[in-house]
C-alpha cells in the first residue's frame, strides 16, 4: 500500500491568501510541505506549475493527487479534513453563515481595495521604475477607507472577531489583506483603534505563526526602508 | 414564521437564491426590491441589509446578505439533497473553488457587459466607447473559456455527475449578458450543452420564471425612468466606465 503523503501547498508568502493558508496550517500544526512559488520571478509561469494550475495563481493545494485552488476553498477543506477546533469554521448554521458572508464579501471589497494600495505603492514602481501615481493612490486609499468603515461597522462591530467571539478563517483572510500595504511601510489601520485591537487579537490567537507568515513582507518593508 | 427573501430578479445572485429556494420547496416570502428604481435605498431595507445589497434574507431575527452565504445557510437549515453541496470533502471543495473564483471573474465580467451594452447607453443615455466594450468582451470571453476548460472540462456539471450550487451560481451570471443581447452560447457547444443540462435539472418552468425579467431587459429598458437611477449613477459610471 502506497504511503499517503502530507498535503502540499504552493505558496508565495508575499501573497495575502497564501499567508492565510500558511497561518491556518501552522497554528493548527497540520502536517504539510510548502513549495515556494516566487511570483516576482515568474515561477508561477513554468510549464510544471501551469500544468498544476492553468490559471498560474497561488495558493494551490495538492492532497495526494487532489489539486485545489482558491484560498477560501483550501481553508474550508483543511478545516474540515484535519478536524481543527470548530471555531475556525463553526458548524452552527448562523455562525457559519456569518463566516460565509464575510468570505464572499471579502473578494470584492477587502481583497481588491487593500491590494490596490500595495500594487500602486510597491509593485508597479518596482516593476516599471516609475514613481507612484499619486492621483490613483489617493483614489485607492479613499476606496479602501470606505471598505475599512464597512469592515468595522458591518462585520466587527462590538465583537472580538469579525464573525463573533472567536477567530475564524474570515479573520485570517482579512488580516492578511490588511497587512499587505505594510510591505510599503504603510499601516492602513493607523487611525483605526478598533481594527488595530482586532488585529492584535488575531495575532495573539495565532501566536508565532503570524510573524512567521509575514516575515517575507516585513523583509520587503525593511529593504525598502533601508534604500530611502 | 417563514424566511423573507429580498430579491430583484434582474440581479444574478437573486436569481440563484430564488431558484434554489423554489427548487427545494423552501417556504419564503418574496420581498421585491427594484434596484433600478432605487428601492434598495429605502429606510426599511437598510435595516435588513446595511450596505443595501440584494439578495438579503431575514429568518426571524437573523439577517444575512451574500447569495452564497444565504444558499449555504438554506442547505444546512433545510437539509437539502446532497448534490447541491456534497458532504464528500473533495466534491465539496470543487464547489467551493468555483464559488470563490467566480466573484472576480464571470460575475464581474458578465455584470459589466450588461451595464455597458444596455443600461448605461440605453437608460442612462451615456455613450460607451467601443474600446471599453471590446475590452469587456475580451474579459468575458476569458472567463467563459476558463469555465469550459477548467471548471467543466469533460464533466457534465462543475462538481461531477450532478448539478450543484456551483452550476446554479454559474448559469445566472452567464445569462446576464444574454439579457443585453449578447449570445454567449453561440459558438460554444460545450457551454450550450451544459446550459441545457442545468435547465433540465432545475426544471424549465422555474428556470424560465427566474429569467423572465432579465431576458426581457432589452424591451423593458424602453420604459425605464433614468431619473430613478440618479442616486447610483455616479457610482456605476465610476465603476464601469
Amino acid at each position: 500500500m502506497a504511503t499517503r503523503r502530507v498535503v502540499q501547498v504552493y505558496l508565495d508568502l508575499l501573497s495575502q491568501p497564501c499567508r492565510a493558508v500558511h497561518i491556518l496550517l501552522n497554528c493548527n500544526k497540520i502536517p504539510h510541505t510548502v513549495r515556494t512559488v516566487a511570483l516576482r520571478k515568474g515561477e508561477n509561469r513554468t510549464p510544471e506549475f501551469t500544468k498544476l494550475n492553468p490559471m498560474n495563481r497561488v495558493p494551490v493545494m495538492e492532497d495526494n493527487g487532489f489539486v485545489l485552488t482558491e484560498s477560501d476553498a483550501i481553508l474550508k477543506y483543511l478545516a474540515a479534513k484535519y478536524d481543527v477546533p470548530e471555531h475556525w469554521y463553526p458548524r452552527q448554521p448562523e455562525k457559519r453563515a456569518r463566516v460565509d458572508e464575510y468570505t464572499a464579501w471579502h473578494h470584492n471589497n477587502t481583497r481588491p481595495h487593500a491590494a490596490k494600495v500595495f500594487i500602486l505603492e510597491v509593485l508597479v514602481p518596482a516593476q516599471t521604475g516609475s514613481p507612484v501615481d499619486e492621483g490613483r493612490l489617493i483614489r485607492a486609499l479613499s476606496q479602501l477607507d470606505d471598505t475599512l468603515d464597512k469592515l468595522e461597522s458591518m462585520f466587527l462591530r462590538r465583537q472580538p472577531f469579525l464573525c463573533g467571539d472567536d477567530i475564524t478563517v474570515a479573520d485570517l483572510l482579512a488580516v492578511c489583506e490588511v497587512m499587505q500595504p505594510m510591505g510599503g511601510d504603510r499601516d492602513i489601520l493607523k487611525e483605526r483603534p478598533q481594527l488595530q485591537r482586532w488585529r492584535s487579537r488575531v495575532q495573539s490567537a495565532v501566536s508565532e505563526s503570524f510573524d512567521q507568515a509575514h516575515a517575507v513582507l516585513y523583509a520587503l518593508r525593511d529593504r525598502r526602508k533601508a534604500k530611502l | 414564521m417563514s424566511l423573507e427573501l429580498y430579491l430583484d430578479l434582474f440581479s444574478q445572485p437573486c436569481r440563484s437564491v430564488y431558484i434554489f429556494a423554489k427548487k427545494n420547496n423552501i417556504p419564503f416570502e418574496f420581498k421585491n426590491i427594484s434596484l433600478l428604481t432605487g428601492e434598495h435605498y429605502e429606510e426599511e431595507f437598510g435595516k435588513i441589509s446595511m450596505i443595501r445589497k440584494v439578495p438579503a434574507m431575514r429568518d426571524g431575527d437573523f439577517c444575512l446578505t451574500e447569495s452564497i452565504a444565504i444558499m449555504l445557510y438554506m442547505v444546512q437549515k433545510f437539509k437539502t439533497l446532497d448534490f447541491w453541496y456534497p458532504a464528500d470533502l473533495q466534491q465539496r471543495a470543487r464547489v467551493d473553488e468555483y464559488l470563490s473564483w467566480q466573484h472576480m471573474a464571470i460575475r464581474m465580467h458578465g455584470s459589466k457587459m450588461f451595464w455597458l451594452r444596455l443600461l448605461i447607453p440605453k437608460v442612462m443615455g451615456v455613450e460607451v466607447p467601443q474600446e471599453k466594450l471590446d475590452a469587456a468582451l475580451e474579459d468575458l470571453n476569458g472567463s467563459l473559456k476558463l469555465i469550459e476548460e477548467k471548471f467543466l472540462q469533460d464533466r457534465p456539471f462543475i462538481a461531477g455527475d450532478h448539478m450543484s450550487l456551483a452550476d446554479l451560481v454559474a448559469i445566472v451570471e452567464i445569462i446576464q449578458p444574454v439579457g443585453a443581447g449578447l449570445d454567449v452560447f453561440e459558438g460554444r457547444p460545450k457551454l450550450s450543452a451544459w446550459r441545457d443540462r442545468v435547465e433540465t435539472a432545475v426544471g424549465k418552468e422555474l428556470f424560465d420564471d427566474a429569467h423572465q425579467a432579465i431576458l426581457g431587459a432589452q424591451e423593458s429598458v424602453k420604459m425605464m425612468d433614468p431619473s430613478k437611477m440618479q442616486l447610483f449613477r455616479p457610482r456605476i459610471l465610476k465603476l464601469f466606465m
Side-chain angles (χ1 to χ4, degrees):
Chain A
M1 191 173 96
T3 323
R4 285 183 68 81
R5 286 180 284 109
V6 296
V7 78
Q8 204 156 218
V9 284
Y10 294 75
L11 307 177
D12 180 336
L13 291 179
L14 279 178
S15 143
Q16 306 89 306
C18 286
R19 292 199 293 271
V21 170
H22 193 259
I23 293 172
L24 188 80
L25 286 166
N26 285 308
C27 78
N28 287 287
K29 303 202 186 325
I30 296 169
H32 66 282
T33 49
V34 176
R35 298 274 298 271
T36 301
V37 179
L39 298 176
R40 71 194 181 284
K41 292 186 198 164
E43 285 176 7
N44 56 318
R45 301 207 168 270
T46 63
E48 193 207 334
F49 190 81
T50 305
K51 198 164 156 224
L52 183 75
N53 181 13
M55 293 196 291
N56 302 103
R57 281 148 87 179
V58 285
V60 180
M61 180 206 84
E62 191 254 311
D63 183 1
N64 289 281
F66 175 66
V67 178
L68 187 63
T69 64
E70 294 294 323
S71 57
D72 288 7
I74 294 171
L75 289 167
K76 290 175 182 179
Y77 177 86
L78 292 172
K81 180 160 180 180
Y82 293 93
D83 209 23
V84 303
E86 207 204 302
H87 65 77
W88 285 109
Y89 192 42
R91 279 183 211 124
Q92 199 263 340
E94 273 99 13
K95 288 189 177 173
R96 175 163 287 206
R98 287 276 164 256
V99 180
D100 290 332
E101 188 183 36
Y102 181 77
T103 57
W105 184 84
H106 175 89
H107 283 277
N108 220 343
N109 292 276
T110 319
R111 175 140 178 71
H113 302 160
K116 192 150 196 190
V117 170
F118 176 76
I119 288 166
L120 289 173
E121 256 187 338
V122 180
L123 273 192
V124 169
Q127 284 166 357
T128 62
S130 50
V132 174
D133 184 331
E134 291 296 336
R136 289 186 74 190
L137 180 62
I138 288 168
R139 285 195 292 280
L141 287 166
S142 170
Q143 190 176 48
L144 177 59
D145 213 32
D146 281 341
T147 296
L148 292 176
D149 282 343
K150 288 173 190 160
L151 192 66
E152 259 188 65
S153 58
M154 237 184 94
F155 293 99
L156 189 64
R157 295 172 290 148
R158 296 200 174 293
Q159 302 174 126
F161 294 96
L162 290 179
C163 302
D165 291 333
D166 284 302
I167 191 170
T168 66
V169 294
D171 299 284
L172 293 187
L173 288 165
V175 86
C176 292
E177 293 298 340
V178 144
M179 286 299 288
Q180 192 74 350
M182 289 289 217
D185 201 23
R186 177 187 290 275
D187 182 357
I188 61 176
L189 301 188
K190 207 164 85 164
E191 314 288 328
R192 293 178 180 270
Q194 230 195 316
L195 284 175
Q196 278 179 39
R197 284 194 288 271
W198 159 75
R199 180 175 56 193
S200 301
R201 284 192 289 270
V202 172
Q203 276 179 274
S204 296
V206 304
S207 49
E208 70 265 10
S209 59
F210 189 92
D211 285 342
Q212 269 169 20
H214 285 87
V216 186
L217 189 70
Y218 299 150
L220 172 65
R221 173 198 59 192
D222 297 341
R223 274 198 307 276
R224 285 168 54 86
K225 273 167 95 168
K227 280 184 193 163
L228 291 169
Chain B
M1 193 172 78
S2 65
L3 229 57
E4 287 174 354
L5 291 174
Y6 293 77
L7 308 172
D8 179 339
L9 294 180
F10 265 108
S11 141
Q12 309 90 304
C14 288
R15 293 197 291 272
S16 52
V17 169
Y18 178 76
I19 290 172
F20 187 75
K22 283 242 150 182
K23 183 71 185 166
N24 288 286
N25 297 308
I26 292 167
F28 70 93
E29 214 182 312
F30 187 118
K31 301 277 207 180
N32 198 64
I33 299 280
S34 168
L35 296 175
L36 294 174
T37 57
E39 278 181 11
H40 49 313
Y41 288 103
E42 282 168 16
E43 200 187 318
E44 271 310 300
F45 185 64
K47 295 176 188 166
I48 314 285
S49 164
M50 211 184 116
I51 43 165
R52 303 183 176 282
K53 296 263 178 177
V54 286
M57 178 202 85
R58 176 157 59 178
D59 185 9
D61 289 329
F62 184 63
C63 292
L64 187 63
T65 60
E66 292 295 336
S67 62
I68 289 169
I70 293 169
M71 287 187 291
L72 290 177
Y73 176 80
M74 291 195 282
V75 160
Q76 254 196 296
K77 213 155 168 206
F78 296 92
K79 299 188 185 357
T80 53
L81 292 172
D82 184 71
F83 61 79
W84 285 110
Y85 194 58
D88 174 84
L89 266 194
Q90 291 189 2
Q91 279 181 52
R92 175 171 288 203
R94 282 278 159 261
V95 178
D96 283 335
E97 187 184 45
Y98 182 80
L99 295 179
S100 174
W101 171 83
Q102 59 92 33
H103 288 278
M104 294 305 266
I106 186 67
R107 172 146 179 63
M108 196 165 72
H109 301 146
S111 288
K112 189 166 189 175
M113 186 54 80
F114 183 73
W115 278 96
L116 290 183
R117 250 185 98 105
L118 195 66
L119 294 179
I120 291 174
K122 300 280 193 288
V123 186
M124 291 184 173
V126 175
E127 200 188 313
V128 179
Q130 190 58 42
E131 321 86 74
K132 285 233 181 282
L133 279 168
D134 292 341
L137 185 61
E138 207 185 310
D139 286 339
L140 178 61
N141 286 337
S143 279
L144 291 170
K145 187 164 187 271
L146 274 169
I147 289 174
E148 282 188 308
E149 292 177 8
K150 183 205 151 64
F151 292 101
L152 278 173
Q153 294 179 31
D154 49 15
R155 293 186 286 270
F157 296 99
I158 291 170
D161 292 331
H162 289 283
M163 171 145 185
S164 70
L165 285 179
D167 304 278
L168 185 55
V169 166
I171 196 72
V172 297
E173 296 294 345
I174 292 170
I175 300 266
Q176 197 76 352
V178 178
L182 185 70
D183 187 358
V184 299
F185 298 104
E186 197 192 318
R188 293 191 170 97
K190 187 189 263 194
L191 202 69
S192 299
W194 165 78
R195 177 234 143 99
D196 292 342
R197 285 191 290 273
V198 172
E199 195 181 298
T200 304
V202 164
K204 187 166 171 23
E205 203 184 311
L206 174 57
F207 192 89
D208 288 348
D209 172 30
H211 286 94
Q212 194 181 29
I214 196 67
L215 291 175
Q218 285 179 282
E219 272 306 304
S220 50
V221 291
K222 295 173 186 170
M223 293 168 290
M224 280 179 198
D225 179 0
S227 70
K228 298 254 167 80
M229 295 188 191
Q230 286 313 312
L231 268 174
F232 49 88
R233 184 191 159 105
R235 191 178 61 86
I236 292 293
L237 292 177
K238 198 171 146 189
L239 188 62
F240 294 122
M241 292 284 274

